[in-house]
Amino acid sequence: MTQVLALSRMRFAGYARSQRVLAPVLASLALVAMLQAGGDASAVDAYGVSAVGLFGIFAWQAKLALDTEPDAQRQLSYLAVGSARREVAAGLVAAGLTAAPTLVVGMVAPWLSGTVQSPPTTVALVGALGFGLWVHLLSALPAVAVGAFASRAVTRTRGWGVAMLVGASVM
């Protein structure tokens, strides 16, 4: 387990250091701003639209994270952790971590833009935030799986990976 976490940290750090994180996060800011431009909405509506819209970006981030590591380094990582199962688990954990910044954008941007109607009570606010987190996680988990299947390790070429990523996100 510690090997998987260490490899996940290394992969996520490589993804962050390569600055590949910037394009998807900026795209998510622009997308959420466009989706929320319609005016006052309930938290359920705002978060639902945000989660559906961010599905493609969650998948894109996962693909970018898994494609950061060169093929030779991926083979060395496999040898270091001792099994294919651990190597794949580490990749999926790192890919899942990439959704965190975008998830924060999806949760905060509707409130910053003033498009969410403020719930009348604190209980309703907590419920709205809980729903928002749940629906964004519900979108992020299958999106990470799509990104993983579109990664270079599975598709072997960038072209097929991009075609799969776009096709699955549109579907």
Side-chain angles (χ1 to χ4, degrees):
M1 185 63 160
T2 57
Q3 294 170 329
V4 170
L5 293 176
L7 183 56
S8 297
R9 268 194 321 269
M10 183 197 77
R11 286 182 171 168
F12 184 76
Y15 168 73
R17 272 194 315 269
S18 72
Q19 297 180 357
R20 293 177 187 210
V21 69
L22 293 176
V25 170
L26 293 175
S28 66
L29 280 170
L31 179 67
V32 171
M34 286 187 293
L35 291 174
Q36 304 297 331
D40 281 347
S42 69
V44 170
D45 293 339
Y47 284 140
V49 167
S50 173
V52 169
L54 291 175
F55 180 90
I57 293 177
F58 288 138
W60 178 27
Q61 287 176 310
K63 180 184 177 350
L64 286 175
L66 293 170
D67 287 351
T68 299
E69 190 174 39
D71 293 335
Q73 184 176 342
R74 185 177 297 116
Q75 291 172 351
L76 289 173
S77 297
Y78 165 77
L79 291 173
V81 295
S83 76
R85 189 176 297 188
R86 289 183 193 148
E87 193 267 334
V88 168
L92 291 175
V93 168
L97 288 174
T98 64
T102 305
L103 193 137
V104 170
V105 167
M107 291 289 295
V108 173
W111 295 96
L112 292 178
S113 64
T115 59
V116 176
Q117 298 168 352
S118 184
T121 65
T122 305
V123 173
L125 176 62
V126 170
L129 292 174
F131 173 79
L133 182 62
W134 176 76
V135 75
H136 280 91
L137 287 173
L138 195 62
S139 176
L141 291 176
V144 168
V146 167
F149 280 114
S151 71
R152 197 176 66 247
V154 175
T155 61
R156 301 287 181 216
T157 65
R158 284 187 174 92
W160 283 113
V162 169
M164 183 177 180
L165 182 70
V166 171
S169 295
V170 169
M171 293 280 196

